[in-house]
Amino acid sequence: MTEETFKSNRGVFDAVVFANKQIRQRFYRLGLEFSGDGAAAFAQTRPGQFAEIDLSDVKLPPKEEIAEDLQDSAERKVLLRRPFSFCDVISQRGKTRVEILYCALGPATLRMTTLSAGNSVSVIGPLGNGFQMPADKKTALLVSGGMGAGPLIHLAKAITTEYPQVEVTAFAGAKTKTELPFEKPLDEISRQLGFALHEFAMYAVESQLATDDGSIGYKGFVTDCFSQWLGQQRSLSANDTIIYSCGPEAMLARIAKIAEDKKIDCQVSMERMMACGIGVCQSCAIKCRVEGSDEMVYKLCCKDGPVFDSREVVF
Amino acid sequence: MTEETFKSNRGVFDAVVFANKQIRQRFYRLGLEFSGDGAAAFAQTRPGQFAEIDLSDVKLPPKEEIAEDLQDSAERKVLLRRPFSFCDVISQRGKTRVEILYCALGPATLRMTTLSAGNSVSVIGPLGNGFQMPADKKTALLVSGGMGAGPLIHLAKAITTEYPQVEVTAFAGAKTKTELPFEKPLDEISRQLGFALHEFAMYAVESQLATDDGSIGYKGFVTDCFSQWLGQQRSLSANDTIIYSCGPEAMLARIAKIAEDKKIDCQVSMERMMACGIGVCQSCAIKCRVEGSDEMVYKLCCKDGPVFDSREVVF
Amino acid sequence: MNETMDISIDFSRLKLANPVFTASGTCGYAEELADFMDVNQLGGFITKSVTVKPRMGNDTPRVVETDSGMLNAIGLANLGLEAFIQEKLPAISKLTVPVFVNVAGETIEDYVAVAQRLATEQAIAGFELNISCPNVAKGGLSFGTDPAQVTEITSAVKQAAGDKILMVKLSPCVTDISVIARAAVEAGADVLSLVNTFTAMVIDIESRKPVLANRTGGLSGPAIKPIAVYMVNKVFNEVTKERGIPILGLGGIRTASDAVEFIIAGATAVAIGTANFVEPNCAVKIIEGIKKYCDGKEIKNIRELIGSLE
Amino acid sequence: MNETMDISIDFSRLKLANPVFTASGTCGYAEELADFMDVNQLGGFITKSVTVKPRMGNDTPRVVETDSGMLNAIGLANLGLEAFIQEKLPAISKLTVPVFVNVAGETIEDYVAVAQRLATEQAIAGFELNISCPNVAKGGLSFGTDPAQVTEITSAVKQAAGDKILMVKLSPCVTDISVIARAAVEAGADVLSLVNTFTAMVIDIESRKPVLANRTGGLSGPAIKPIAVYMVNKVFNEVTKERGIPILGLGGIRTASDAVEFIIAGATAVAIGTANFVEPNCAVKIIEGIKKYCDGKEIKNIRELIGSLE
Ligand SMILES: Cc1cc2nc3c(=O)[nH]c(=O)nc-3n(C[C@H](O)[C@H](O)[C@H](O)COP(=O)(O)OP(=O)(O)OC[C@H]3O[C@@H](n4cnc5c(N)ncnc54)[C@H](O)[C@@H]3O)c2cc1C
Ligand SMILES: Cc1cc2nc3c(=O)[nH]c(=O)nc-3n(C[C@H](O)[C@H](O)[C@H](O)COP(=O)(O)OP(=O)(O)OC[C@H]3O[C@@H](n4cnc5c(N)ncnc54)[C@H](O)[C@@H]3O)c2cc1C
Ligand SMILES: Cc1cc2nc3c(=O)[nH]c(=O)nc-3n(C[C@H](O)[C@H](O)[C@H](O)COP(=O)(O)O)c2cc1C
Ligand SMILES: Cc1cc2nc3c(=O)[nH]c(=O)nc-3n(C[C@H](O)[C@H](O)[C@H](O)COP(=O)(O)O)c2cc1C
Ligand code: FES
Ligand code: FES
């Protein structure tokens, strides 16, 4: 059901780091540039697609810079590639630049933080299927939890560029203020105007924030914030609306429920531990309903997803 | 029989890289600086002693810079520390700087080449027993093969400084010109004066070169060059002379034989695969004769050596 | 380098262009790899395990990374024999590389059913029996750990397999792998492949639960390579050398040097598993690297290398 | 953190200050480590294997690095029982930490002789039987792979060991480690330690010879950790839990998290082997880390953690 992507273009490419910026305590934004075939392949990247990056030979940060709770797991050498989706993709003059919002939480992502401009990494992609674009919709609602914001920022850009008639609103949640993966300081005025996040405001997309502890924005789960907001939208037609969501599975399940109750189309971007990312290992199974039957099948997050119709997924 | 060293000073210390220079195709010279307790411990380092360096989290050079014959072995992640001896040790104002001459030939030494000024590495040392100094000798002859030159450069400095009455001559050999681990270009004039190598000339020590293929210096094994030179020294008294040697085991065996034939004292610095470097694992056994008996025992290269009396070692 | 160097091998009744396979479960049914490598460049191809009935496989997480390795507990997820024939075989029959179907099951009858049904399929060169599966009929202990069961299952499948080549894939989780290898060979195995994965566990110390939904999984990857090399050498010396039975060696191979190590230990061919996930084109690189090695060592025929350990 | 946190454990008839040992063969006879760590901070100390007669050990190379592991084939090099008593025991008797002597041999009589001779030594808390040694009297197969031999050797040493604690160290190179574990426990083992190393081989593809002079060696280090955790959990569930027999878990432990993983799997204590070579003070750091973990999880008594795998 998700958009058909240009699979024949995918491959293993080297990318050159052009930026790697710490934006919050554990959050970073990595920029990779592709040339040649890689540039052509990644120029086609749709929001929600991902890439598998080899970080095995990237060095660790010095021990004293590694958070105490990550010191032990940092000792593990990295063997497998790691999947990351994009928060931005720009193609110009034969080069394609992609940006990844990431969180340092284990051996591979800790290594990622030491990449610096000019370093080269091996990337497989673009992989999987992205979000289906809201061609026949009037409203797109983007709900993210934690790192899930990345692909939704990319999506916000794509929708506002390609479907300017669609009204987009974004919701972003996290446990607490410091775990929001956004770069720009949030100024009070913009927030009152409904533009809490610079990353979305760039595309003239209104956004709201929620933190479990209320350290900023709505106090509570982003799903509650979203649900409350939804309840207030008298003029919203379920048929003309679509929800896009990315974040922890418990949150996606909640969003799926809200969408089902309101009969709104909903796409969720799922995560699984992945060994290959290309559909050969079967490690990334997602239990799905077979339409019109009680049967269940496993689909592959890397190949059939990572974006699924929320009705399909058995949470 | 080897010099007693200040064991109680040894420990695990962090050192900061102050230089890492490529001096030939595969040869590099690494400079490490210790402060505090590390500086005190390493200030005591005697020529021939060594340290165990943790290179497991140092990054590999980019693939395209790795020699083809090392690409496969470069894939192995490094677990154990690696032993290295020093070519120079300087202690000043509470800091101790040590220099290591090394050859990139496997996963750890390839990683070593990417260290740059300011990087920190963990070092255990100083370990083992160094060369016994030629207190009662008039002539010291230093014979090295390949990377064996490192500790003999350190020894040349120590002897010329501490025992200025001892005449020192050095011999260095390698397969071919490019495998000589020396930095400075060899000028014809110095060579004719007997100072083939800047590293020894610095200490006013004469030196001769040998290459198996004759690409520079004597054509043939350094042991043959040395043996021929020895034959020409009519005035040399065996009793007043000592040979120091470091290099491949086959070469050390040959030197030991020459020393035995000529009844000259001889010390050899041995190498073994080491897991611990501190005498707990027994991996670095060296088969030795028990003086005055037919019995053999294994001594430990890391603890009883790496420097041994050549008569002791069963090659 | 001599670009035309011949590294073809005799592999039971087959002649293979080179000694490099991709391992079962790490290369799908070939089509998935098409964007990344030309499968026809391989010496041989082995499918994901096929069972009589479709299997959904285990819950997730099904994999977890470990030091220089990974655990998997996929649970033999596959579309089942009939769907395999309908959906996968047509594409497979277009391949020029010899294809082996990896067969799994819970009873001997399961294995026999798959082999029998596929024995007449032109597209298939042979079978690889995955005997690391638990024998449900006999209390769930793996077929592959009991020589009597290995004999039984091998002879039964041999009969069913017609003229297809029968490869039996050994589990390393046994006291003496030669005993199992001998049982397989004496019951009619044409080829032995070893090793499968080691049963292992990773615990999440935060939740105090196993990371894998299946609790345990099979350890693969470079971590196990030295054990696999030892086992290949042991089976070669004690079982296959004198009988002229080829070994397909695998376990942690990632480079041409690794592959050469297995061949020197006694493997006639090798298979690449976990490394495919990191470098999908890895097998092709390894084929090139083996050629270079032979060239550099002036080895005219790769047969000189097989089991040449001094 | 609660600096006074108590992580002491009951270890058979002993009470240990904490659950961290150093593993046999990786920490000498304690004195070698003195420059790097305070051995008395350990929960327990295990010596290098002691045999009746001195053993020179194997030729070199005796070790080689592998992916996240290493092989060793030291060949039980040790100074022999008498010299051990003369030269090492005096220093050992000054330690406050309980010391276990690892015992090895080629015949059952060898083991008994060492245990008998040391059974009256005050300085020693107990023995660890290394039953991965080949039984020369029975054709060289390892004692530890045959339950009947495990029973025999364990009961024989148990008799000789007087009131010393008898720990039996299991080899992982078996089809079902619970069978061996049960044999040891039923024959009188007070504690089981697992795992020892995996037989393995590394080949030098230049010379086409095994790297180790002994050809094969034992694989240790992080590479084997997930297999060891699985085996500890299996033995705990199937053998020791109901009998209240403690397990000393080891194999690839390098961090406090690794140690906690073994404890959750069912180990009462853990031992650090290969990691000592990289970080000689590693065990002490791990003790601190375990305290921190317990503190963070509000675990009042480390016993709550033992075998707490859900
Ligand atoms: C399609 C997809 C897109 C993703 N996009 C992003 C992104 O844009 N930014 C970002 O920061 N992260 C993203 N992730 C998650 C990212 O892959 C993991 O954070 C990363 O693999 C962690 O590796 P590590 O070695 O640092 O930590 P590990 O120690 O390997 O893992 C730390 C935690 O991450 C989980 N994890 C590990 N590997 C995976 C995996 N392959 N898939 C899912 N979870 C995993 C583990 O369960 C564990 O809890 C994405 C994952 C998927 C599947
Ligand atoms: C006391 C001592 C002092 C040394 N001093 C120096 C020095 O000053 N400069 C220098 O370049 N090298 C020195 N070495 C050798 C150095 O330790 C090895 O080159 C290094 O360990 C290779 O590691 P690697 O991972 O790069 O290669 P590996 O792939 O590990 O080994 C490459 C080759 O080096 C040999 N080797 C590996 N580890 C050891 C070891 N621990 N001991 C001996 N040989 C080994 C292997 O047999 C192999 O042939 C010394 C060794 C010893 C024992
Ligand atoms: C994800 C995954 C799935 C696997 N599935 C199968 C399978 O279906 N049947 C089988 O016989 N072996 C299977 N294996 C085992 C491999 O074929 C191979 O024996 C093992 O992984 C060791 O090789 P390696 O270390 O190169 O991966 C699987 C391995 C992995 C990693
Ligand atoms: C160099 C070395 C020597 C060893 N010697 C012995 C020994 O003498 N007796 C013994 O029972 N185990 C011996 N072992 C095995 C260890 O005690 C331990 O069981 C094994 O290494 C697994 O733990 P690790 O992965 O933490 O090293 C030795 C291990 C190594 C690495
Ligand atoms: S990650 Fe391998 S099939 Fe999806
Ligand atoms: S290297 Fe461990 S004893 Fe010498």
Side-chain angles (χ1 to χ4, degrees):
Chain A
M1 58 122 287
T2 45
E3 194 133 317
E4 211 26 74
T5 47
F6 305 81
K7 293 227 170 140
S8 54
N9 260 337
R10 63 191 196 156
V12 187
F13 305 106
D14 281 335
V16 177
V17 175
F18 69 84
N20 193 15
K21 187 174 168 188
Q22 182 161 17
I23 58 178
R24 280 282 171 112
Q25 218 173 346
R26 293 188 175 195
F27 297 104
Y28 298 77
R29 196 168 167 136
L30 176 74
L32 297 176
E33 181 173 272
F34 295 91
S35 317
D37 290 348
F42 279 91
Q44 315 278 6
T45 314
R46 300 302 305 163
Q49 284 193 286
F50 69 101
E52 285 274 1
I53 307 186
D54 183 356
L55 296 159
S56 62
D57 277 323
V58 178
K59 72 166 184 289
L60 273 182
K63 201 157 207 155
E64 55 283 6
E65 290 172 22
I66 301 176
E68 197 176 300
D69 60 326
L70 297 181
Q71 297 230 343
D72 283 3
S73 84
E75 300 258 337
R76 198 174 80 228
K77 300 279 182 277
V78 173
L79 174 69
L80 300 169
R81 288 170 182 261
R82 295 292 194 276
F84 295 92
S85 41
F86 309 106
C87 59
D88 201 5
V89 176
I90 296 175
S91 203
Q92 260 183 338
R93 280 172 268 123
K95 308 265 186 191
T96 299
R97 291 186 154 200
V98 302
E99 289 190 54
I100 294 169
L101 210 56
Y102 69 98
C103 176
L105 46 65
T109 45
L110 275 169
R111 285 182 158 76
M112 209 163 185
T113 66
T114 71
L115 286 171
S116 61
N119 290 165
S120 170
V121 287
S122 165
V123 182
I124 301 184
L127 298 171
N129 296 299
F131 294 102
Q132 192 170 38
M133 296 303 276
D136 52 353
K137 303 289 181 187
K138 293 198 181 118
T139 308
L141 305 173
L142 281 42
V143 191
S144 71
M147 286 311 305
L152 295 185
I153 296 172
H154 189 194
L155 179 65
K157 181 184 183 185
I159 299 177
T160 52
T161 320
E162 300 167 22
Y163 302 89
Q165 76 284 6
V166 177
E167 176 129 1
V168 186
T169 307
F171 300 81
K175 282 210 192 85
T176 179
K177 193 172 162 175
T178 52
E179 297 196 4
L180 281 164
F182 301 100
E183 186 166 3
K184 297 281 155 168
L186 318 153
D187 83 46
E188 191 57 32
I189 303 174
S190 331
R191 240 161 59 221
Q192 276 165 5
L193 291 171
F195 295 96
L197 294 163
H198 174 263
E199 279 82 351
F200 289 104
M202 277 174 64
Y203 309 120
V205 166
E206 288 192 22
S207 54
Q208 301 209 15
L209 274 178
T211 51
D212 298 0
D213 65 357
S215 50
I216 196 165
Y218 177 94
K219 178 173 173 160
F221 294 143
V222 66
T223 47
D224 293 337
C225 167
F226 173 65
S227 165
Q228 190 174 310
W229 179 90
L230 211 55
Q232 291 158 355
Q233 309 303 305
R234 303 282 156 236
S235 62
L236 211 68
S237 137
N239 247 334
D240 294 338
T241 304
I242 181 162
I243 301 171
Y244 298 100
S245 191
C246 185
E249 192 149 331
M251 178 202 125
L252 298 182
R254 185 85 192 89
I255 291 288
K257 182 75 174 57
I258 296 171
E260 195 188 341
D261 290 348
K262 301 263 180 190
K263 299 201 171 26
I264 302 177
D265 280 350
C266 176
Q267 302 202 341
V268 289
S269 178
M270 304 287 292
E271 282 197 15
R272 282 292 178 274
M273 306 267 252
M274 292 181 176
C276 76
I278 61 171
V280 295
C281 77
Q282 311 259 339
S283 61
C284 60
I286 305 252
K287 201 176 266 179
C288 289
R289 293 184 186 84
V290 178
E291 226 187 303
S293 94
D294 278 352
E295 224 188 302
M296 309 280 196
V297 290
Y298 274 123
K299 292 198 170 182
L300 297 180
C301 185
C302 72
K303 202 178 115 192
D304 305 312
V307 177
F308 292 88
D309 187 311
S310 68
R311 280 167 299 218
E312 197 180 10
V313 178
V314 182
F315 284 103
Chain B
M1 54 127 289
T2 46
E3 195 132 317
E4 212 24 75
T5 47
F6 303 82
K7 292 228 169 138
S8 53
N9 260 336
R10 62 192 197 156
V12 186
F13 305 105
D14 280 335
V16 177
V17 175
F18 67 86
N20 193 14
K21 186 172 167 191
Q22 183 162 16
I23 58 176
R24 281 284 170 108
Q25 218 174 342
R26 295 188 174 192
F27 297 103
Y28 297 76
R29 196 168 168 136
L30 176 74
L32 297 176
E33 181 173 271
F34 296 90
S35 316
D37 290 348
F42 278 91
Q44 314 279 8
T45 315
R46 300 302 306 165
Q49 283 192 287
F50 68 101
E52 284 274 0
I53 307 187
D54 183 356
L55 297 159
S56 62
D57 277 323
V58 178
K59 71 166 187 289
L60 273 182
K63 202 159 207 153
E64 54 284 6
E65 289 172 22
I66 300 177
E68 197 177 301
D69 59 325
L70 297 181
Q71 298 229 343
D72 283 2
S73 84
E75 301 257 338
R76 199 175 78 227
K77 301 279 183 276
V78 172
L79 173 70
L80 300 169
R81 288 171 182 260
R82 294 294 195 276
F84 295 92
S85 40
F86 309 106
C87 60
D88 201 5
V89 177
I90 296 174
S91 205
Q92 259 183 336
R93 278 170 270 123
K95 308 264 187 191
T96 300
R97 291 186 154 199
V98 303
E99 291 191 53
I100 293 169
L101 209 56
Y102 70 98
C103 176
L105 46 65
T109 46
L110 276 169
R111 285 182 158 75
M112 206 164 188
T113 65
T114 71
L115 286 171
S116 60
N119 291 166
S120 171
V121 287
S122 166
V123 182
I124 301 184
L127 298 170
N129 296 298
F131 294 101
Q132 192 173 35
M133 297 302 275
D136 53 353
K137 303 289 180 185
K138 293 198 180 117
T139 308
L141 306 173
L142 282 44
V143 191
S144 72
M147 287 310 305
L152 295 186
I153 296 173
H154 189 194
L155 180 65
K157 182 186 183 183
I159 298 177
T160 51
T161 320
E162 301 167 22
Y163 301 89
Q165 76 285 6
V166 177
E167 173 128 4
V168 186
T169 308
F171 301 82
K175 280 209 191 86
T176 180
K177 194 171 163 174
T178 52
E179 296 194 6
L180 281 164
F182 301 99
E183 187 166 0
K184 298 283 157 167
L186 319 153
D187 83 46
E188 189 58 31
I189 300 171
S190 329
R191 240 161 57 224
Q192 275 165 5
L193 290 170
F195 294 96
L197 294 163
H198 174 264
E199 279 82 350
F200 289 105
M202 279 173 64
Y203 308 120
V205 166
E206 290 192 21
S207 55
Q208 302 209 14
L209 275 177
T211 51
D212 299 1
D213 66 356
S215 50
I216 198 166
Y218 176 95
K219 176 171 175 162
F221 293 144
V222 66
T223 47
D224 293 336
C225 168
F226 172 65
S227 162
Q228 190 174 313
W229 180 90
L230 210 56
Q232 291 159 356
Q233 307 305 306
R234 303 280 156 236
S235 61
L236 211 70
S237 136
N239 248 335
D240 293 339
T241 304
I242 181 162
I243 301 171
Y244 298 99
S245 191
C246 185
E249 192 149 331
M251 179 202 124
L252 298 181
R254 185 83 193 92
I255 291 288
K257 181 74 174 57
I258 295 171
E260 195 190 340
D261 290 349
K262 300 264 179 190
K263 300 201 168 25
I264 302 177
D265 280 350
C266 176
Q267 303 201 345
V268 290
S269 178
M270 305 286 293
E271 284 195 15
R272 282 291 178 274
M273 306 269 253
M274 291 181 175
C276 76
I278 62 173
V280 293
C281 76
Q282 310 260 338
S283 61
C284 61
I286 305 251
K287 201 175 266 178
C288 289
R289 291 184 187 83
V290 178
E291 226 187 303
S293 93
D294 278 352
E295 225 188 304
M296 309 280 192
V297 291
Y298 275 121
K299 294 199 170 180
L300 297 180
C301 184
C302 73
K303 202 177 114 193
D304 306 312
V307 176
F308 291 88
D309 188 310
S310 68
R311 280 166 299 217
E312 196 179 10
V313 179
V314 182
F315 284 103
Chain C
M1 192 186 72
N2 179 0
E3 271 305 330
T4 61
M5 161 156 304
D6 180 13
I7 55 165
S8 69
I9 52 157
D10 295 315
F11 194 73
S12 184
R13 297 179 298 280
L14 286 177
K15 177 112 187 159
L16 305 180
N18 66 67
V20 181
F21 287 63
T22 47
S24 177
T26 66
C27 50
Y29 301 99
E31 54 192 8
E32 297 89 341
L33 276 177
D35 287 346
F36 301 98
M37 71 174 292
D38 175 2
V39 173
N40 286 325
Q41 289 190 32
L42 293 171
F45 182 88
I46 307 176
T47 69
K48 170 80 191 156
S49 280
V50 173
T51 53
V52 180
K53 299 256 167 278
R55 286 177 59 103
M56 287 193 63
N58 296 324
D59 277 349
T60 57
R62 292 178 172 184
V63 289
V64 59
E65 191 181 69
T66 65
D67 285 280
S68 295
M70 63 175 282
L71 304 196
N72 86 80
I74 306 298
L76 298 174
N78 80 99
L79 69 192
L81 178 60
E82 286 314 318
F84 170 75
I85 293 168
Q86 298 306 317
E87 297 168 29
K88 304 293 176 185
L89 212 50
I92 286 174
S93 60
K94 292 201 191 96
L95 296 175
T96 56
V97 62
V99 174
F100 288 76
V101 173
N102 183 291
V103 182
E106 296 177 343
T107 63
I108 292 186
E109 294 68 40
D110 285 353
Y111 285 86
V112 169
V114 177
Q116 206 146 39
R117 176 69 186 76
L118 293 173
T120 51
E121 291 293 344
Q122 284 291 322
I124 289 168
F127 301 108
E128 181 182 51
L129 290 203
N130 176 357
I131 55 171
S132 301
C133 312
N135 182 349
V136 293
K138 294 235 171 136
L141 247 172
S142 153
F143 286 101
T145 57
D146 172 6
Q149 290 194 48
V150 172
T151 302
E152 206 183 335
I153 197 169
T154 307
S155 358
V157 177
K158 179 72 184 171
Q159 282 214 330
D163 61 354
K164 301 293 184 206
I165 289 171
L166 180 59
M167 181 145 74
V168 176
K169 184 170 184 179
L170 308 183
S171 163
C173 305
V174 294
T175 305
D176 185 351
I177 196 163
S178 291
V179 172
I180 308 293
R182 205 170 293 117
V185 167
E186 288 175 355
D190 298 310
V191 182
L192 296 179
S193 66
L194 58 151
V195 298
N196 214 318
T197 56
F198 287 81
T199 309
M201 181 185 270
V202 173
I203 294 171
D204 177 346
I205 65 169
E206 294 305 316
S207 64
R208 298 197 224 168
K209 288 181 192 155
V211 170
L212 297 181
N214 187 53
R215 302 183 71 85
T216 63
L219 178 64
S220 64
I224 68 169
K225 195 189 74 178
I227 316 181
V229 168
Y230 162 71
M231 289 184 168
V232 165
N233 187 243
K234 182 172 159 75
V235 170
F236 178 74
N237 286 327
E238 298 177 4
V239 183
T240 62
K241 181 161 69 177
E242 52 178 9
R243 295 172 170 92
I245 296 278
I247 293 175
L248 177 69
L250 75 164
I253 297 174
R254 189 179 31 171
T255 63
S257 300
D258 296 337
V260 167
E261 225 184 309
F262 275 86
I263 295 172
I264 293 172
T268 296
V270 296
I272 318 302
T274 303
N276 289 317
F277 304 153
V278 184
E279 213 55 74
N281 194 29
C282 177
V284 172
K285 284 194 197 160
I286 289 175
I287 294 168
E288 286 315 304
I290 293 175
K291 281 187 193 166
K292 271 195 196 134
Y293 173 87
C294 289
D295 201 54
K297 291 270 169 301
E298 293 181 11
I299 290 168
K300 297 268 155 13
N301 188 319
I302 194 167
R303 259 163 280 179
E304 294 167 32
L305 210 57
I306 300 169
S308 64
L309 183 69
E310 257 184 53
Chain D
M1 189 187 71
N2 177 358
E3 271 305 329
T4 59
M5 159 151 307
D6 180 10
I7 54 166
S8 69
I9 52 158
D10 294 316
F11 194 72
S12 186
R13 300 180 296 279
L14 286 177
K15 178 115 185 156
L16 306 180
N18 66 67
V20 181
F21 287 64
T22 47
S24 176
T26 68
C27 48
Y29 300 98
E31 55 190 8
E32 298 89 339
L33 277 178
D35 288 344
F36 302 98
M37 71 175 291
D38 175 2
V39 172
N40 286 327
Q41 290 190 32
L42 293 171
F45 182 88
I46 307 176
T47 69
K48 170 81 190 157
S49 281
V50 172
T51 54
V52 180
K53 298 259 166 278
R55 286 176 59 104
M56 286 191 67
N58 294 324
D59 277 348
T60 55
R62 291 177 172 186
V63 290
V64 60
E65 192 182 67
T66 65
D67 285 279
S68 294
M70 63 176 283
L71 303 195
N72 87 79
I74 306 297
L76 299 174
N78 80 96
L79 69 191
L81 178 60
E82 286 313 320
F84 169 76
I85 294 168
Q86 299 307 317
E87 296 168 27
K88 305 292 175 185
L89 212 51
I92 286 174
S93 58
K94 294 200 190 100
L95 297 174
T96 56
V97 62
V99 174
F100 288 77
V101 173
N102 182 292
V103 183
E106 297 177 342
T107 62
I108 292 186
E109 293 68 40
D110 285 353
Y111 285 85
V112 169
V114 176
Q116 207 146 36
R117 177 68 186 76
L118 294 173
T120 51
E121 291 292 346
Q122 284 291 323
I124 290 168
F127 301 107
E128 180 182 53
L129 291 202
N130 175 358
I131 56 170
S132 301
C133 312
N135 182 347
V136 292
K138 293 235 170 139
L141 248 172
S142 151
F143 286 100
T145 57
D146 172 8
Q149 289 194 48
V150 171
T151 303
E152 206 183 333
I153 197 168
T154 308
S155 359
V157 176
K158 179 72 185 172
Q159 282 216 330
D163 62 355
K164 300 294 184 204
I165 289 172
L166 179 59
M167 180 146 72
V168 176
K169 183 169 186 180
L170 308 184
S171 163
C173 306
V174 294
T175 305
D176 185 351
I177 196 162
S178 291
V179 173
I180 309 291
R182 204 170 294 116
V185 167
E186 288 176 355
D190 299 309
V191 182
L192 296 178
S193 68
L194 57 153
V195 298
N196 212 318
T197 56
F198 286 82
T199 310
M201 181 186 273
V202 173
I203 294 171
D204 177 348
I205 64 170
E206 294 305 316
S207 65
R208 298 199 222 164
K209 290 182 191 155
V211 170
L212 297 181
N214 187 52
R215 303 184 70 86
T216 63
L219 179 65
S220 64
I224 68 169
K225 195 190 75 179
I227 316 181
V229 168
Y230 163 71
M231 289 184 168
V232 164
N233 186 244
K234 182 173 160 75
V235 169
F236 178 74
N237 285 328
E238 300 177 4
V239 183
T240 62
K241 181 163 68 178
E242 54 178 7
R243 295 174 171 90
I245 296 280
I247 292 176
L248 176 70
L250 73 163
I253 298 174
R254 188 182 29 175
T255 64
S257 300
D258 296 337
V260 168
E261 223 184 311
F262 275 87
I263 295 171
I264 293 171
T268 296
V270 296
I272 318 299
T274 304
N276 289 317
F277 305 153
V278 184
E279 215 55 75
N281 195 31
C282 176
V284 172
K285 285 193 196 159
I286 288 174
I287 294 167
E288 286 315 304
I290 293 174
K291 281 188 194 163
K292 274 194 192 134
Y293 173 87
C294 289
D295 201 54
K297 292 269 167 302
E298 293 181 13
I299 291 168
K300 299 265 159 9
N301 188 319
I302 193 162
R303 260 163 279 179
E304 296 167 34
L305 210 58
I306 300 170
S308 63
L309 184 69
E310 259 186 49

